[in-house]
Amino acid sequence: MKGTNGRRAGLSIVAVTLLTGVAGCSSGGSEGSGGDGESSSSSASKSGGTHVSPIAALRTAERSTDGADSAKVESTTTMGSVMAMTADGSLGWGDGLTGTLTITYTGGTMADTMRQLGTTSMEARYLPDAYYARMGDVFAEQAGGKHWIKYPYEALETLGGGSGAYLKDQMENSTPNQSVKLLLASGDVRRVGEETVRGERTTHYSGTVEVADLATRNSSLSDSQLADLKKQLEQAGVTTETVDIWVDDENLLVKKVEQGQAANGAYSQTAYYSDYGTPVDTEVPPAADTADFSELLQQQGAGPRS
């Protein structure tokens, strides 16, 4: 029984980490260079020969990216010794968050947890009211033969007080334009220069984000929830992070990088966005093959806290 509870607890960690990774959609390195064949040029504040302030350019990029409604996403995430993972798929945000990603854990204790559950990869489906994760046969043996775990966003809000509510807030707003809003909210934005990202001409912007202040500026959480979240961020040792984004000639975000330091080590995320407007058709998994996350927690005597 102890082993079963440990596995189920591990699943909750997997879900929270996955949601956080997708919400951030970015990763390590920065300051105008990368290991993916990118090159940089002049850092003069101009675009197509016209001088444009970084703030004005980012506001245009935020609107353009928001209006694109969908994109293909490819990301990598590392978090100290806890996790290394990749994600690949498509997300849509025209009418709530939808999409499908293949998540693969490549290192850290998260990968070890997943191996105990029979696989290091899983399919993640995002729908406007819930997130679903498809696990392997080993998990299904522990869940009445069901392979899918359903995480309703309303249930996530009850997990861990303010942090659960913040997670719900982030998941329901996990779109590429949110990364632009991150940088706009930082109060510290600069234009690095023109660079080539995977063959595309882009403009690179960089800034430093105060994490706790960012949560205040960019969420609809109550004062008590924000206070709870800030306390947990402080306990985790997270204070600031750097954010870099690359915007193409159509004012669309094509890359984002975040990196920072937490109590369990350095974290970094990198995401690439392409094929804006790509069709996204996500189906709800079969109910007969789906276990509700809240019910699993209640079965082990660790249900959501009110």
Side-chain angles (χ1 to χ4, degrees), residues 6-7 10 14 81-84 105-120:
R7 287 180 180 132
V14 166
S81 62
V82 175
M83 177 189 70
Y105 289 88
T106 58
T109 56
M110 288 298 301
D112 295 337
T113 299
M114 292 295 290
R115 287 189 190 98
Q116 293 175 15
L117 295 168
T119 179
T120 55

Side-chain angles (χ1 to χ4, degrees), residues 2-20:
K2 181 178 179 181
T4 300
N5 286 349
R7 287 180 180 132
R8 287 174 179 166
L11 286 175
S12 68
I13 297 171
V14 166
V16 170
T17 306
L18 170 62
L19 294 173
T20 303

Side-chain angles (χ1 to χ4, degrees), residues 8 20 32 176 216 251 261 289-290 304:
R8 287 174 179 166
T20 303
T216 304
N251 297 307
Q261 187 75 28
D289 197 26
T290 302

